[in-house]
Amino acid sequence: LVVKAPKEMSYVLIEDPFPAGLEPDVRGDADVTDDWNYWYSGVDVRDDRVAFFARGVPAGTSVIDYTLHAQTAGHFNALPALVQAMYAPQEQASTQIQQVVVRP
């Protein structure tokens, strides 16, 4: 997941819905506070999406890596990811719907 911020942002929510046919490694609150290499401060993995919480997003490009495992073969839609300043909801952006193909 690549976040391109035109300016520095504070208190940002980044949500990425999972395409059907794919499952995350873990669910619940993923602990990232032990590793200072992460630029975001919290992760919440739900059944249908993952949410990242950042106290600050620097201007420019930031990357989030996480792993999903293919469970079901088929053609699926990946719904748009959303980036939103939690205390300034007018500052938001989203991706477009993407096609995902899982082959057996």
Side-chain angles (χ1 to χ4, degrees):
L1 188 60
V2 177
V3 177
K4 295 181 181 178
K7 64 178 184 173
E8 186 175 333
M9 298 174 67
S10 298
Y11 299 102
V12 176
L13 166 64
I14 302 152
E15 285 188 308
D16 193 17
F18 304 136
L22 301 176
E23 293 289 328
D25 288 338
V26 296
R27 295 198 194 288
D29 194 19
D31 183 21
V32 297
T33 58
D34 292 339
D35 190 343
W36 288 100
N37 292 324
Y38 294 109
W39 58 268
Y40 48 89
S41 55
V43 179
D44 187 22
V45 182
R46 301 291 177 107
D47 288 339
D48 62 343
R49 68 186 175 279
V50 61
F52 298 92
F53 304 94
R55 288 187 185 97
V57 174
T61 302
S62 301
V63 177
I64 298 173
D65 289 319
Y66 68 95
T67 304
L68 296 173
H69 293 285
Q71 296 291 318
T72 307
H75 294 259
F76 307 103
N77 288 327
L79 295 176
L82 172 70
V83 177
Q84 179 177 8
M86 290 184 273
Y87 300 109
Q90 70 278 8
E91 293 185 18
Q92 65 176 324
S94 63
T95 62
Q96 299 205 358
I97 293 177
Q98 306 259 334
Q99 293 286 319
V100 176
V101 178
V102 177
R103 301 188 195 282

